[in-house]
């Protein structure tokens, strides 16, 4: 890069792609070492590559270790387990790409189910009212997280740790206060229950393979998240606020709005999963959900999201969730002590983080 | 040096300045970062702001860029007194700023960085989406027009050299119709060669008719492209010169602290470092 072409005759630059029909400076064909190396570099810069390799590895591993693993019934169980993690993990991944955490996501799922159940039971005869109120309440928690974060500038770790503890207490305390026990009353005989169950907790039998509706929710959410990330303005902003918040603000990106939107996304996904749990069991245990927030974060990290923000993908988080599903159920089918599950996942997480760091370094070194 | 100092009170023959600051001041709490600073920016010319670390250069451009508001003095845009409320508003008024270290988002591809905050759309309704093809092509073309030859606009901008990154940020400002381009020490972290490249793009932007504000603490760089020079010292104006009125030597001398430097020279001469032998280098 040496010559500076500056034509005095050129009119002052105007808004938009002014010189679109000017003779196009074709991108100079990359030299001999370029093309193949470039392709390899592109592949290696995909955030989900490490997770994909990991998912194939654990899949093959359990397919060889447990003969029942490859049966359609087992695979549908694996997919179901993956979907219940993946629904929230995809939003957590977007949030992480945007540079923030949400430690309250796990208990928020339970809060969402509790609100829906108890509001329906106490106030109305129709579960859909509870479902709607639950959506508003859950989004309000997300809004609170995002608003407090952007107002105070405190780390999201602290803020959402606060909401995590508060929600944990509220879930147990309010449930005991209202229902008298640690779990809610059954709402199975209420109006609208079967319709709501069809939306949030139905299943379809396909000759041995049971397709749960959560899998469809999961895939749909991943598709939407991918679209948003890669093909919308909001997606550009998410990468930017996570990658360099100040640079983003300086070029006019609405940093606060983007972050608040990401927390609303997590809340929405927590609501979807919360409704699923409610309508598949028709009662809710108020102490559930604690610890799941870390599983969502781990799935996002295994899927290639950078803890420091600015990098990652929705598909990666989905593959991360799939790894969780494969391992948690694979251990059962292999008839191992299920206590190994957490150890296994911790090891996966470390491996993934190391692999991602290594891949990124390589990608950035390839000039 | 005072004999070379000529206070500019009125713009030169080139007509009304695009941007004028008149006796602008700014305090952070009780730290007075700027006092009574005035400067003009004209279309097709480069105004250099020189000063040591902490002189208030960054504060000055943050005021110009709408990131901070001035406490005293007047901010004139096209001769009209203006108060900017945000960087977005400054951008909309044609003021683009390339910050020292805030210029880009390193992990994002070049083309996404290029359009960040001003992304074009295509399609309608739920199919409304980023016009990715146009974004890629326009990025390549805009860079080519500035003489920047970048084969792959898909690579993360963080993998470009510091000079290339600054150049992309400059090309972006030019493309989006900036009338005033503000550059905060674009050459500070660069080597000699890369500095040269960046200065070429500064000149290219100037030749396309932009008014450029170039912040630097390097008088050599300033003198190469500058048309007028404003010297800042601990928040106040230590001088304001036109190109013809000051030689590089005089500029360097003022920048280096003038008399203070001579004083320092005396001090150092009297107390040479005992461990360093002159032959070592
Ligand atoms: N946000 C801030 N809060 C308080 N003081 C500041 C802030 N920014 C700059 N300053 C002070 O204002 C003075 C000028 O700083 P700055 O404009 O960054 O100088 P320069 O860019 O020339 O090195 C310095 O004394 C600095 O410490
Ligand atoms: Mg500075």
């Amino acid at each position: 890069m040496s010559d500076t072409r500056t034509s005095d005759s050129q009119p002052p630059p105007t808004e938009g792609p002014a010189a679109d029909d000017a003779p196009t400076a074709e991108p100079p064909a990359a030299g001999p070492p370029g093309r193949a190396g470039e392709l390899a570099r592109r592949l290696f810069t995909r955030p989900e590559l490490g997770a994909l390799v990991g998912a194939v590895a654990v899949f093959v591993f359990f397919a060889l270790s447990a003969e029942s693993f490859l049966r359609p019934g087992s695979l549908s169980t694996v997919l179901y387990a993956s979907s219940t993690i993946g629904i929230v993990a995809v939003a957590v991944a977007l949030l992480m790409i945007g540079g923030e955490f949400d430690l309250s996501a796990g208990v928020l799922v339970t809060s969402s189910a509790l609100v829906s159940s108890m509001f329906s039971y106490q106030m109305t005869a129709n579960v859909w009212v509870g479902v709607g109120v639950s959506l508003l309440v859950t989004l309000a928690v997300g809004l609170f997280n995002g608003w407090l974060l952007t107002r105070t500038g405190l780390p999201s770790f602290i803020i959402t740790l606060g909401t995590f503890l508060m929600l944990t207490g509220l879930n147990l305390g309010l449930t005991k206060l209202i229902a008298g026990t640690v779990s809610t009353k059954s709402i199975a005989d209420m109006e609208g229950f079967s319709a709501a169950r069809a939306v949030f907790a139905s299943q379809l039998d396909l000759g041995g393979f049971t397709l749960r509706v959560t899998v469809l929710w999961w895939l749909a959410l991943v598709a939407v998240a991918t679209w948003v990330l890669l093909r919308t303005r909001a997606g550009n902003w998410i990468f930017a606020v996570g990658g360099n918040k100040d640079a983003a603000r300086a070029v006019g990106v609405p940093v606060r709005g983007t972050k608040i939107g990401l927390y609303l996304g997590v809340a929405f996904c927590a609501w979807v999963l919360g409704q699923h749990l409610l309508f598949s069991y028709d009662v809710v245990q108020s102490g559930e959900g604690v610890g799941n927030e870390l599983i969502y974060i781990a799935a996002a990290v295994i899927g290639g999201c950078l803890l420091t923000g600015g990098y990652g993908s929705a598909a990666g988080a989905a593959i991360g969730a799939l790894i969780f599903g494969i391992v948690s159920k694979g251990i059962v089918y292999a008839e191992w002590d299920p206590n190994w599950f957490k150890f296994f996942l911790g090891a996966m997480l470390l491996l993934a983080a190391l692999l991602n760091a290594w891949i990124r370094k390589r990608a950035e070194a390839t000039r | 040096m005072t004999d070379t100092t000529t206070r500019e009170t009125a713009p030169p023959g080139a007509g009304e300045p695009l941007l004028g600051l008149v006796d602008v001041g700014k305090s952070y709490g009780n730290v007075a970062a700027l006092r009574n600073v005035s400067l003009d920016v004209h279309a097709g010319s480069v105004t250099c702001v020189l000063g040591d670390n902490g002189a208030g250069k960054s504060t000055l451009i943050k005021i110009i860029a709408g990131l901070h508001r001035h406490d005293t003095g007047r901010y004139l845009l096209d001769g009209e007194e203006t108060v900017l409320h945000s960087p977005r508003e400054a951008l909309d008024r044609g003021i683009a700023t390339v910050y020292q270290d805030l210029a880009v988002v390193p992990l994002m591809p070049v083309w996404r960085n290029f359009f960040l905050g001003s992304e074009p759309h295509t399609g309608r309704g739920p199919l409304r989406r980023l016009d990715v093809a146009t974004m890629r092509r326009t990025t390549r073309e805009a860079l080519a027009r500035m003489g920047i030859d970048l084969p792959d606009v898909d690579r993360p901008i963080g993998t470009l050299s510091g000079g290339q990154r600054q150049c992309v940020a400059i090309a972006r400002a030019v493309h989006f119709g900036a009338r005033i381009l503000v550059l905060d020490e674009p050459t500070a972290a660069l080597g000699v060669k890369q500095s040269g490249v960046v200065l070429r793009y500064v000149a290219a932007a100037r030749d396309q008719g932009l008014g450029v504000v170039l912040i630097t603490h390097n008088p050599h760089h300033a003198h190469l492209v500058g048309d007028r020079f404003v010297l800042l010292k601990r928040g106040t104006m230590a001088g304001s010169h036109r190109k013809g009125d000051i030689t590089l030597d005089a500029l360097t001398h003022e920048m280096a602290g003038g008399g203070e430097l001579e004083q320092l020279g005396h001090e150092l001469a009297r107390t040479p470092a005992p461990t360093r032998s002159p032959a070592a280098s």
Side-chain angles (χ1 to χ4, degrees):
Chain A
M1 26 188 311
S2 53
D3 70 313
T4 315
R5 271 177 281 137
T6 57
S7 58
D8 294 328
S9 58
Q10 194 136 20
T14 49
E15 201 82 38
D20 261 359
D21 44 2
T24 307
E26 269 303 308
R35 279 285 179 242
E38 201 52 38
L39 202 74
R41 193 191 58 74
R42 286 251 174 104
L43 192 69
F44 273 104
T45 47
R46 295 301 312 160
E48 56 280 305
L49 180 76
L52 194 61
V53 172
V56 170
V58 290
F59 186 87
V60 170
F61 177 79
F62 283 109
L64 296 177
S65 328
E67 53 178 318
S68 58
F69 185 75
L70 286 180
R71 285 182 202 147
S74 312
L75 293 180
S76 60
T77 307
V78 165
L79 266 185
Y80 172 57
S82 308
S83 70
T84 57
I85 292 162
I87 284 174
V88 187
V90 66
V92 168
L94 258 58
L95 180 69
M96 200 181 282
I97 296 170
E100 305 296 343
F101 284 108
D102 190 351
L103 294 180
S104 67
V107 287
L108 186 57
V109 170
T110 308
S111 306
S112 168
L114 286 171
V115 168
S116 184
S117 166
M118 292 197 288
F119 192 91
S120 299
Y121 191 87
Q122 303 289 336
M123 303 291 181
T124 71
N126 193 314
V127 297
W128 285 105
V129 179
V131 170
V133 170
S134 167
L135 177 61
L136 293 181
V137 171
T138 313
L139 288 178
V141 175
L143 186 67
F144 176 78
N145 278 334
W147 177 80
L148 207 59
L149 177 93
T150 53
R151 273 291 142 186
T152 61
L154 287 170
S156 55
F157 187 89
I158 297 298
I159 287 175
T160 59
L161 183 61
T163 36
F164 160 73
L165 291 170
M166 279 158 53
L167 286 178
T168 309
L170 273 177
N171 285 353
L172 288 162
L174 279 183
T175 308
K176 231 175 182 169
L177 210 64
I178 294 170
T181 59
V182 290
S183 66
T184 62
K185 306 253 180 357
S186 168
I187 56 164
D189 52 359
M190 288 181 64
E191 211 175 301
F193 184 87
S194 56
R197 173 172 257 179
V199 172
F200 292 109
S202 57
Q203 57 190 53
L204 193 67
D205 284 310
L206 304 165
F209 184 91
T210 311
L211 181 67
R212 311 278 196 137
V213 74
T214 49
V215 176
L216 301 182
W217 273 101
W218 179 35
L219 294 179
L221 285 169
V222 171
V224 169
T226 302
W227 171 264
V228 168
L229 262 188
L230 298 182
R231 285 297 175 264
T232 70
R233 204 173 242 203
N236 224 27
W237 296 347
I238 291 169
F239 280 112
V241 299
N244 188 344
K245 184 168 57 131
D246 298 320
R249 177 166 125 78
V251 294
V253 171
V255 174
R256 288 180 172 193
T258 305
K259 297 220 170 189
I260 291 175
L262 288 170
Y263 276 101
L264 289 177
V266 174
F268 178 80
C269 291
W271 172 78
V272 171
L273 185 60
Q275 303 315 297
H276 165 71
L277 295 180
L278 170 62
F279 290 106
S280 59
Y281 301 112
D282 77 52
V283 293
V284 188
Q285 302 293 328
S286 58
E288 295 276 297
V290 177
N292 285 351
E293 64 282 343
L294 296 180
I295 293 188
Y296 305 141
I297 291 172
V301 171
I302 287 177
C305 291
L306 207 55
L307 272 172
T308 44
Y311 188 77
S313 74
I319 300 173
L322 188 63
I323 291 179
F324 269 77
I326 293 172
V327 175
S328 65
K329 297 304 163 193
I331 283 177
V332 175
Y333 292 121
E335 291 171 7
W336 295 353
D337 180 350
N339 288 320
W340 287 102
F341 170 61
K342 288 255 161 77
F343 171 83
F344 206 95
L345 285 174
M348 283 291 301
L349 179 65
L350 284 183
L351 255 174
L354 287 174
L355 184 69
N356 287 339
W358 180 75
I359 285 177
R360 267 213 350 281
K361 240 196 209 136
R362 275 201 44 148
E364 286 176 7
T366 318
R367 293 245 179 124
Chain B
M1 333 114 252
T2 41
D3 52 335
T4 53
T5 305
T6 52
R7 275 269 173 157
E8 265 180 17
T9 44
E16 188 169 86
L18 295 173
L19 175 102
L21 297 184
V22 184
D23 291 334
V24 158
K26 165 87 192 163
S27 305
Y28 296 108
N30 49 14
V31 181
L34 278 186
R35 267 168 319 211
N36 296 339
V37 174
S38 304
L39 61 79
D40 286 329
V41 184
H42 290 262
S45 86
V46 179
T47 302
C48 292
V49 178
L50 294 116
D52 212 345
N53 286 333
K57 304 184 298 292
S58 294
T59 305
L60 184 67
I61 67 151
K62 280 173 183 161
I63 290 171
I64 296 177
L67 219 56
H68 291 333
R69 257 170 76 180
H70 52 290
D71 302 327
T72 58
R74 296 193 298 151
Y75 184 121
L76 303 171
L77 210 50
D78 300 311
E80 236 175 73
E81 184 152 6
T82 309
V83 175
L84 296 175
H85 297 95
S86 69
R88 182 77 251 174
E89 194 181 338
L91 278 170
D92 293 341
R93 301 287 301 261
I95 303 170
T97 309
V98 179
Y99 295 92
Q100 211 163 346
D101 41 7
L102 311 183
V104 296
V105 184
L107 283 169
M108 285 172 80
V110 174
W111 62 273
R112 282 185 182 270
N113 264 288
F114 193 91
F115 280 96
L116 186 58
S118 314
E119 299 87 349
H121 275 125
T122 180
R124 315 172 153 257
L127 284 180
R128 194 169 144 88
R129 60 190 185 275
L130 289 186
D131 193 350
V132 174
T134 302
M135 287 167 81
R136 282 212 177 86
R137 181 169 39 81
T138 311
T139 303
R140 258 195 309 267
E141 286 172 6
L143 292 181
R145 220 177 306 137
M146 291 288 292
I148 304 168
D149 171 21
L150 202 65
D152 180 14
V153 294
D154 265 300
R155 57 154 74 168
I157 202 165
T159 64
L160 303 187
S161 71
Q164 284 175 314
R165 262 185 310 225
Q166 290 284 344
C167 295
V168 172
I170 295 171
R172 170 172 72 185
V174 172
H175 175 78
F176 284 106
R179 300 181 300 141
I180 299 166
L181 176 64
V182 187
L183 303 164
D184 189 9
E185 306 215 27
T187 58
L190 304 183
V192 177
K193 224 175 172 174
Q194 292 205 349
S195 296
V197 173
V198 171
L199 290 176
R200 272 199 202 96
Y201 299 130
V202 172
R206 175 198 64 199
D207 293 344
Q208 294 203 18
L210 278 78
V212 180
V213 182
L214 175 66
I215 315 280
T216 176
H217 59 234
N218 186 326
H220 298 271
H221 292 164
H223 204 260
L224 276 173
V225 293
D227 296 303
R228 56 195 70 217
F229 309 94
V230 174
L231 282 119
L232 289 183
K233 202 171 188 177
R234 281 182 236 107
T236 57
M237 252 169 58
S240 176
H241 312 275
R242 308 248 190 88
K243 180 154 196 164
D245 300 341
I246 187 164
T247 62
L248 174 59
D249 282 345
L251 195 63
T252 312
H253 187 70
E254 275 204 34
M255 255 303 292
E260 286 172 32
L261 192 72
E262 278 153 25
Q263 176 68 27
L264 185 67
H266 288 306
E267 280 174 31
L268 293 178
R270 267 183 262 123
T271 56
T275 50
R276 196 166 294 165
S277 84
S281 59

